[in-house]
């Protein structure tokens, strides 16, 4: 008869058989033997339940989007505190953060003319609004900052549209972030940017902009790939295209918000901390399930499972639901400042902010000694194919602390259509597979538990 541990591992392998093509794997070292029982229990608990998915579904269904400054976010924070207490987590509390309070208001965009044609858009986070009557102006399509500068004598009074195909987020997002000030400096009336993400089904992507201090602030919005292509075709035919843009966007005084903290206190080294989490805020479209409700829930789930299974590691495991990542990263900065005295005792920080699709492993930033240890631990996750360790790890919320104190940092790595969904109305729970989310929670739980339980500190 199989032991309980062997049964669980056999179940996992049956659910997720090895790939058809053999892939060289890092052999499991002998030092991991004491952790195999806990690994099997955590995997069994995660994969035998859809608790993580159900909690995320409740969050989105009940509270909707969670934009910084909104009542939605603050109600969700209160719920999270009560749920963590119900889970039996320790030292559950909130930590105050002042956050920006931007309000979208009503907005619309259309091709002006005898037969007005509505277009699908989303104002960019932090944008100013238009005059009450809107802005009616000719569009100037450009494909790079260099092309914008070359057309400087034709920009004034026009609506500049950056038609830049999505390649990857790092390369393309600069047009969303910097485009408004670059166009405003040349006298543009407003700026539009092709949605920063893969082509969807006429889905616009919002996101933050960054106004330069010494340039005019002009209204800015994202336009769907399909509507951008339509305008491009019309311009290519020699048509003068006029657009009418209306945006009520405005900024209110900073609002009160909170990071949410819960712990399992370490049994031997409670002052040494492994901090994991995601950001609890989202943009004001969709329900922020992929970005980043899922990351919050799978890291939270790691502690819930440890508590349920009575797995109390040597060191403290802390989950943090950070506020205001999307339009300010003030939650991560506040955590760094409020915990400055204990940052040196942070053994590792992990952030999940790339979705909770099929987990492939983790990114890691730290020493080569630390990387070797993490690579060893990842062999425990070979059964769910989450044993790859990437070259870099981290996140916007853990970054301020990790950089200041030189803390090893990790990120959950997954295989899924994150950039198709994030910052869009399509970011809802139905895009997330319950089993993939359970596997993500399992991977986070095992990696976190072993690092917290090892006799020696991860270095």
């Amino acid at each position: 008869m199989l032991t309980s541990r062997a049964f669980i591992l056999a179940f996992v392998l049956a659910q997720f058989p090895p790939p058809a093509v053999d892939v060289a794997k890092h052999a499991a070292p002998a030092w991991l033997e004491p952790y195999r029982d806990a690994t099997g229990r955590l995997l069994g608990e995660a994969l035998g339940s859809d608790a993580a998915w159900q909690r995320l579904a409740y969050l989105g269904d009940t509270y909707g989007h969670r934009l910084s400054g909104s009542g939605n976010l603050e109600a969700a924070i209160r719920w999270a505190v009560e749920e963590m207490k119900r889970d039996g987590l320790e030292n559950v509390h909130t930590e105050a953060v002042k956050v920006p309070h931007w309000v979208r208001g009503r907005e619309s965009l259309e091709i002006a003319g005898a037969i007005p044609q509505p277009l699908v858009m989303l104002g960019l986070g932090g944008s100013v609004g238009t005059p009450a009557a809107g802005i009616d102006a000719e569009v100037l399509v450009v494909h790079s900052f260099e092309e914008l500068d070359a057309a400087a004598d034709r920009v004034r009074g026009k609506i500049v549209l950056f038609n830049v195909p999505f390649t990857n987020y790092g390369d393309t997002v600069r047009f969303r972030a910097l485009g408004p000030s670059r166009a405003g400096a040349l006298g543009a009336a407003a700026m539009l940017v092709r949605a920063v993400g893969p082509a969807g089904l006429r889905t616009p992507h919002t996101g933050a902009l960054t106004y330069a201090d010494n340039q005019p602030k002009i209204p800015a919005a994202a336009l769907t790939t399909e509507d951008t292509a339509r305008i491009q075709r019309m311009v290519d035919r020699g048509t003068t295209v006029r657009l009418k843009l209306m945006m009520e966007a405005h900024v209110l005084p900073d609002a009160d918000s909170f990071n949410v903290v819960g712990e399992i206190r370490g049994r031997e080294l409670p002052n040494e901390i492994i901090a994991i989490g995601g950001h609890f805020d989202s943009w004001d479209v969709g329900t922020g399930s992929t970005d980043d409700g899922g990351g919050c829930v799978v890291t939270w789930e790691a502690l819930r499972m440890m508590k349920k299974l009575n797995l109390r590691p040597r060191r403290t495991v802390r989950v943090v639901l950070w506020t205001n990542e999307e339009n300010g990263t003030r939650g991560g900065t506040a955590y760094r400042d409020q915990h400055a005295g204990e940052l040196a005792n942070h053994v590792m920080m992990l952030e999940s902010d790339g979705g909770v699709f099929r987990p492939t492993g983790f990114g890691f930033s730290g020493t080569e000694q630390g990387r070797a240890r993490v690579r060893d631990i990842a062999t425990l996750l070979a059964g769910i194919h989450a044993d790859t360790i990437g070259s870099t790890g981290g996140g916007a919320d853990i970054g301020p602390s990790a950089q200041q104190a030189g803390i090893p940092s990790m990120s959950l790595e997954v295989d899924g259509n994150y950039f198709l969904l994030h910052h869009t109305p399509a970011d809802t729970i139905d895009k997330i597979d319950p089993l993939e989310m359970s596997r993500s929670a399992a991977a986070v739980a095992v990696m976190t538990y072993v690092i917290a339980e090892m006799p020696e500190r991860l270095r």
Side-chain angles (χ1 to χ4, degrees), residues 330-370:
R330 293 193 191 174
T333 301
Y335 182 89
R336 177 199 64 194
D337 296 343
Q338 293 166 5
H339 294 269
E342 64 174 10
L343 289 183
N345 290 331
H346 280 57
V347 173
M348 186 273 285
M349 300 186 77
L350 181 151
E351 183 160 356
S352 173
D353 187 18
V356 287
F357 306 107
R358 183 181 66 84
T360 59
F362 298 88
F364 177 79
S365 293
T367 66
E368 286 307 307
Q369 178 184 351

Side-chain angles (χ1 to χ4, degrees), residues 7 23 28 30 51 68 120 124 130 132 180 187 190 201 294 320 374 393-394 419 426 442 448 459:
F7 175 81
V23 178
S68 290
V120 181
L124 298 183
T130 64
L201 297 177
V320 186
V374 167
F419 288 112
T448 302
R459 297 190 183 277

Side-chain angles (χ1 to χ4, degrees), residues 357-444:
F357 306 107
R358 183 181 66 84
T360 59
F362 298 88
F364 177 79
S365 293
T367 66
E368 286 307 307
Q369 178 184 351
R371 178 178 301 280
R373 191 60 94 184
V374 167
R375 188 181 294 117
D376 283 352
I377 298 168
T379 63
L380 296 169
L381 299 168
I384 58 171
H385 309 309
D387 54 339
T388 299
I389 301 300
S391 58
T392 59
D397 299 290
I398 66 176
S401 298
Q403 291 164 18
Q404 178 161 308
I407 304 165
S409 55
M410 300 185 69
S411 52
L412 177 67
E413 300 297 319
V414 299
D415 181 17
N417 288 324
Y418 177 77
F419 288 112
L420 180 66
L421 301 171
H422 97 313
H423 298 189
T424 77
D427 184 359
T428 49
I429 185 66
D430 51 284
K431 314 306 188 303
I432 299 172
D433 180 88
L435 185 54
E436 290 186 347
M437 187 171 181
S438 293
R439 293 170 73 190
S440 291
V444 171

Side-chain angles (χ1 to χ4, degrees), residues 243-257:
L243 300 177
K244 184 172 182 180
L245 174 66
M246 190 282 290
M247 296 173 60
E248 291 182 341
H250 58 282
V251 177
L252 296 175
D254 286 356
D256 293 324
S257 189

Side-chain angles (χ1 to χ4, degrees), residues 64-413:
H65 79 76
R66 299 174 301 282
L67 183 64
S68 290
S70 69
N72 302 44
L73 175 60
E74 299 317 305
I77 286 172
R78 292 191 293 271
W79 166 81
V81 169
E82 293 307 311
E83 285 293 291
M84 285 188 185
K85 291 178 180 177
R86 191 173 292 113
D87 288 343
L89 302 192
E90 299 151 9
N91 192 26
V92 176
H93 64 280
T94 58
E95 298 176 351
V97 184
K98 281 287 189 181
V99 299
H101 190 183
W102 176 78
V103 178
R104 178 179 302 280
R106 294 178 298 174
E107 56 187 18
S108 64
L109 178 67
E110 66 182 27
I111 298 175
I115 307 176
Q117 298 291 311
L119 303 175
V120 181
M121 53 79 77
L122 280 174
L124 298 183
S127 177
V128 299
T130 64
I135 294 173
D136 186 325
E138 181 183 343
V139 67
L140 173 67
V141 181
V142 297
H143 306 88
S144 66
F145 287 137
E146 292 76 15
E147 188 174 334
L148 173 69
D149 292 340
D153 59 343
R154 297 186 288 124
V155 172
R156 184 164 298 279
K158 293 187 172 65
I159 296 176
V160 169
L161 168 59
F162 285 97
N163 181 11
V164 182
F166 179 79
T167 52
N168 62 67
Y169 198 66
D171 286 345
T172 316
V173 73
R174 60 195 177 105
F175 295 97
R176 184 193 80 202
L178 306 178
S181 288
R182 293 288 294 265
L186 298 175
M191 186 224 72
L192 303 173
V193 63
R194 174 173 166 165
V196 180
L201 297 177
R202 211 178 180 201
T203 307
H205 296 240
T206 191
L209 55 74
T210 304
Y211 284 126
D213 292 337
N214 59 344
Q215 300 298 345
K217 294 181 178 180
I218 62 173
L223 187 61
T224 67
T225 298
E226 294 89 341
D227 288 332
T228 300
R230 179 182 186 179
I231 292 171
Q232 184 71 67
R233 289 192 302 271
M234 295 173 72
V235 170
D236 290 345
R237 294 188 195 112
T239 303
T240 298
V241 179
R242 294 190 68 85
L243 300 177
K244 184 172 182 180
L245 174 66
M246 190 282 290
M247 296 173 60
E248 291 182 341
H250 58 282
V251 177
L252 296 175
D254 286 356
D256 293 324
S257 189
F258 305 88
N259 292 331
V260 181
V261 179
E263 295 178 338
I264 293 180
R265 298 293 292 173
R267 69 178 190 277
E268 292 181 8
L269 300 167
N271 293 329
E272 292 191 6
I273 299 159
I274 288 81
I276 65 177
H279 67 84
F280 209 42
D281 66 307
S282 73
W283 283 110
D284 57 329
V285 292
T287 59
S289 296
T290 288
D291 185 21
D292 181 33
C296 289
V297 171
V298 297
T299 49
W300 175 358
E301 183 73 357
L303 278 75
R304 186 197 69 81
M305 292 189 296
M306 290 181 209
K307 179 66 177 181
K308 180 179 179 180
L309 298 172
N310 198 28
L311 293 171
R312 183 179 294 275
R314 282 184 172 87
R315 297 173 184 82
T316 294
V317 178
R318 174 182 293 168
V319 62
V320 186
L321 312 184
W322 281 281
T323 192
N324 185 235
E325 185 271 350
E326 292 293 5
N327 61 337
T329 62
R330 293 193 191 174
T333 301
Y335 182 89
R336 177 199 64 194
D337 296 343
Q338 293 166 5
H339 294 269
E342 64 174 10
L343 289 183
N345 290 331
H346 280 57
V347 173
M348 186 273 285
M349 300 186 77
L350 181 151
E351 183 160 356
S352 173
D353 187 18
V356 287
F357 306 107
R358 183 181 66 84
T360 59
F362 298 88
F364 177 79
S365 293
T367 66
E368 286 307 307
Q369 178 184 351
R371 178 178 301 280
R373 191 60 94 184
V374 167
R375 188 181 294 117
D376 283 352
I377 298 168
T379 63
L380 296 169
L381 299 168
I384 58 171
H385 309 309
D387 54 339
T388 299
I389 301 300
S391 58
T392 59
D397 299 290
I398 66 176
S401 298
Q403 291 164 18
Q404 178 161 308
I407 304 165
S409 55
M410 300 185 69
S411 52
L412 177 67
E413 300 297 319

